[in-house]
């Protein structure tokens, strides 16, 4: 790698076609040149919008106080949903939303959340704090939210403490058009139109909070449940089995061996990127450790895919990274104030999001869906809210990282050669639409600015534009007092036919959109 001087770097930035928003004094002598080749004819697979999926659990203030404030709240709301949250999520586009858990799913009984709200039972949330929930947010409220933000619903059924009958009835209640008692009950509760729910999780983390089972025990239960989860009104359920934690092949093989010819439609794996520090107090070594985990996530995805592909019909099983994201050390003070697992998102979190989303763009042939945990307030969230009485709702750095990747959705992912195998090297991905190529880059380094020289092998660009999310402070975040501290800005990019050049300051995520000539 040739190092370029600070002077060269600053001169080139000034010569770029758009004014850079990065002050030149950010760049030290440690700028490194990164040569990237995008093979514009080497197609890998479609970047499914579902790679940008989300997860909402009854945990802390994700649902109550986050998404849901109630119809009588003084906080501006639409049918009980926090209006700002609905607007922000609608703007971003939420391809799929998994609900109601998580661990919560295997202790949730769906009938608790239907019918007149005042008559719904109050239940203790045994997994997350032992507080009482009034079930004012149930199936109808969830479907209403999905419709408002444009998300496809994904319901996680209760295997751990529920029964096949209970889950089968939920499917009928949601999807049977009319004429059965359950569909008439749905109509009486306000929805004549069936919900057409396609994605059904059959339990969650059945090796742990979802029943503490062995793979063969869960396999037997899965097979039993699956018999009763039927197509109603033309909506064929896509059944998602509870898969491994990380790369646990023992669980996957144990499960699939016992399923034999009755494989699920999807297998859900969970892989969090743990962190040593509280979100806003990360040290550089701990950031490096956390961001390095993405190479292990990649290995785990490849491994799980190869395990699946080894079974007859296994290739047809969609691999779903059902829970992922930075799980930092949780601040007891924040938890006390804002609820269980409340976590701020920082510039570091945005790098983590960018590394994950780039990874999914590079593995579209191996993945079916990916849901970051979670959508509001909990872990690596898109939005944070200040409490059920407050109308403050802030878009986090993670929200903006997702916004930067939106342009890849439904485009064809392309092979990209990036220098160096280091987990903390430049991360890149590319996708192609009609007359358009989208490139994304992440510089995860805290100590090195990068100049990216990118060659489009097989195509030529007419012009282009770039946007960047950047802060020189790894702990910078959008707070209730400073909601716009770290936001997407226009960035300089030089486009010269097949040659693209842009500067990636330390700790930055950028997307370049190119119009092909
Ligand atoms: O996302 C928080 C928890 O993490 C979920 O409830 C569970 O599935 C996982 O262990």
């Amino acid at each position: 790698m040739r190092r370029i001087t600070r002077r060269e770097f600053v001169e080139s930035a000034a010569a770029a076609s758009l004014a850079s928003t990065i002050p030149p004094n950010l760049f030290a002598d440690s700028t490194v040149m990164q040569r990237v080749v995008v093979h514009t004819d080497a197609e890998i697979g479609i970047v499914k919008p579902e790679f940008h999926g989300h997860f909402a659990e009854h945990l802390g203030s994700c649902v109550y106080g986050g998404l849901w404030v109630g119809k009588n709240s003084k906080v501006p709301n639409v049918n009980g949903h926090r209006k700002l949250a609905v607007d922000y999520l609608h703007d971003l586009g939420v391809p799929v939303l998994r609900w109601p858990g998580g661990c919560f799913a295997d202790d949730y009984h769906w009938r608790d959340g239907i019918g007149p709200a005042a008559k719904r039972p109050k239940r203790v949330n045994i997994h997350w704090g032992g507080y009482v929930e009034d079930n004012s947010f149930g199936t109808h409220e969830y479907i209403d939210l999905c419709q408002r933000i444009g998300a496809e619903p994904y319901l996680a059924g209760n295997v751990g403490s529920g029964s096949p009958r209970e889950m089968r009835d939920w499917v009928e209640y949601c999807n049977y058009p009319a004429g059965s008692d359950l569909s008439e009950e749905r109509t009486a509760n306000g929805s004549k139109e069936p919900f057409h729910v396609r994605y059904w999780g059959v339990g969650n983390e059945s090796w742990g909070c979802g029943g503490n089972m062995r793979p063969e025990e869960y396999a037997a239960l899965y097979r039993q449940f699956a018999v009763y989860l039927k197509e109603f009104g033309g909506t064929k359920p896509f059944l998602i089995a509870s898969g491994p934690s990380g790369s646990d092949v023992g669980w996957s093989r144990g499960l699939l061996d016992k399923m034999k010819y009755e494989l699920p439609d999807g297998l859900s794996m969970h892989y969090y990127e743990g962190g040593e520090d509280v979100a806003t107090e990360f040290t550089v070594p701990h950031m490096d450790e956390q961001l390095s985990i993405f190479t292990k996530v990649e290995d785990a995805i490849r491994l799980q895919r190869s395990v699946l592909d080894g079974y007859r019909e296994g290739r047809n099983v969609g691999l779903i990274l059902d829970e992922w994201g930075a799980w930092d050390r949780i601040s007891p003070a924040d938890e006390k104030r804002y609820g269980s697992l409340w976590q701020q998102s920082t510039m570091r979190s945005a790098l983590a999001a960018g590394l994950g989303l780039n990874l999914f763009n590079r593995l579209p042939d191996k993945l079916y869906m990916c849901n970051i945990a979670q959508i509001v307030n909990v872990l690596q969230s898109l939005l944070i809210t200040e409490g059920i009485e407050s109308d403050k709702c802030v878009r986090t750095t993670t929200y903006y990282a997702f916004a930067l990747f939106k342009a890849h959705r439904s485009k064809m992912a392309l092979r990209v050669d990036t220098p160096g195998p280091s987990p903390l090297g430049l991360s890149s991905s590319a996708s192609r639409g009609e007359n358009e190529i989208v490139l994304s880059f992440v510089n995860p380094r805290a100590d090195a600015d990068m100049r990216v020289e990118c060659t489009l092998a097989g195509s030529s660009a007419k012009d282009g534009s770039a946007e960047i999310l950047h802060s020189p402070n790894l702990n910078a975040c959008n707070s209730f007092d400073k909601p716009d501290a770290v936001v997407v800005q226009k960035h300089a990019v030089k486009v010269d036919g097949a040659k693209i050049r842009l500067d990636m300051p330390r700790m930055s995520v950028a997307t370049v959109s190119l119009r092909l000539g």
Side-chain angles (χ1 to χ4, degrees), residues 39 46 54 67 69 104-105 119 123 148 151 204 268 415 438 447 455 500:
H39 298 272
I46 296 291
H54 295 277
L67 292 165
V69 290
F104 181 81
K119 290 196 173 152
R123 303 277 186 220
R148 288 176 192 281
N204 169 77
S268 140
R415 184 159 72 79
V438 181
D447 59 350
T455 304
I500 318 296

Side-chain angles (χ1 to χ4, degrees), residues 31-222:
T31 300
V32 287
M33 180 77 84
Q34 301 282 307
R35 292 189 203 286
V36 172
V37 179
V38 177
H39 298 272
T40 63
D41 292 329
E43 301 180 345
I44 317 175
I46 296 291
V47 179
K48 297 176 195 70
E50 289 79 4
F51 294 171
H52 298 189
H54 295 277
F55 169 35
E57 181 167 11
H58 287 230
L59 195 179
S61 53
C62 182
V63 174
Y64 296 107
L67 292 165
W68 179 254
V69 290
K71 293 178 189 166
N72 300 324
S73 172
K74 66 176 179 30
V75 174
N77 68 84
V78 278
N79 221 11
H81 309 290
R82 183 184 288 274
K83 184 168 181 334
L84 259 186
V86 169
D87 291 347
Y88 289 154
L89 295 173
H90 181 268
D91 287 352
L92 179 67
V94 174
V96 61
L97 181 64
R98 178 175 177 245
W99 176 84
C103 294
F104 181 81
D106 283 285
D107 190 44
Y108 181 65
H109 301 280
W110 67 271
R111 297 201 68 94
D112 291 349
I114 57 166
K119 290 196 173 152
R120 296 185 193 174
K122 296 189 171 50
R123 303 277 186 220
V124 178
N125 185 328
I126 56 166
H127 286 293
W128 304 112
Y131 59 89
V132 171
E133 295 195 355
D134 66 4
N135 275 301
S136 52
F137 189 92
T139 303
H140 287 257
E141 290 75 19
Y142 161 72
I143 295 289
D144 184 44
L145 174 67
C146 286
Q147 287 167 352
R148 288 176 192 281
I149 62 177
E152 172 140 21
Y154 168 3
L155 290 171
N158 180 345
V159 171
S161 69
S163 66
R165 161 111 196 233
E166 182 184 3
M167 189 165 171
R168 166 249 172 262
D169 283 355
W170 202 8
V171 179
E172 183 182 326
Y173 182 87
C174 289
N175 291 349
Y176 198 75
S180 73
D181 279 6
L182 283 164
S183 58
E184 295 307 312
E185 192 178 0
R186 182 193 67 237
T187 302
N189 286 334
S191 188
K192 186 168 187 308
E193 184 61 22
F195 297 146
H196 303 294
V197 178
R198 205 156 59 91
Y199 295 122
W200 292 89
V202 184
N204 169 77
E205 296 195 351
S206 302
W207 37 263
C209 63
N212 213 8
M213 295 178 227
R214 296 190 187 87
E216 60 276 15
E217 293 166 334
Y218 173 66
L221 269 183
Y222 174 87

Side-chain angles (χ1 to χ4, degrees), residues 1 4 101 172 174 209 228 243 302 318 363 371 393 398 408 489:
M1 243 175 334
I4 58 177
E172 183 182 326
C174 289
C209 63
Y228 304 100
R302 289 183 185 281
L363 302 174
N371 299 317
C393 177
T398 297
H408 288 287
Q489 311 215 19

Side-chain angles (χ1 to χ4, degrees), residues 330-353:
I330 301 294
S331 146
D334 285 346
E335 269 201 316
K336 195 164 170 212
R337 192 155 177 204
Y338 303 119
S340 292
L341 301 192
W342 193 91
Q343 185 177 295
Q344 181 49 285
S345 242
T346 64
M347 188 60 227
R348 167 195 52 82
S349 325
L351 299 176

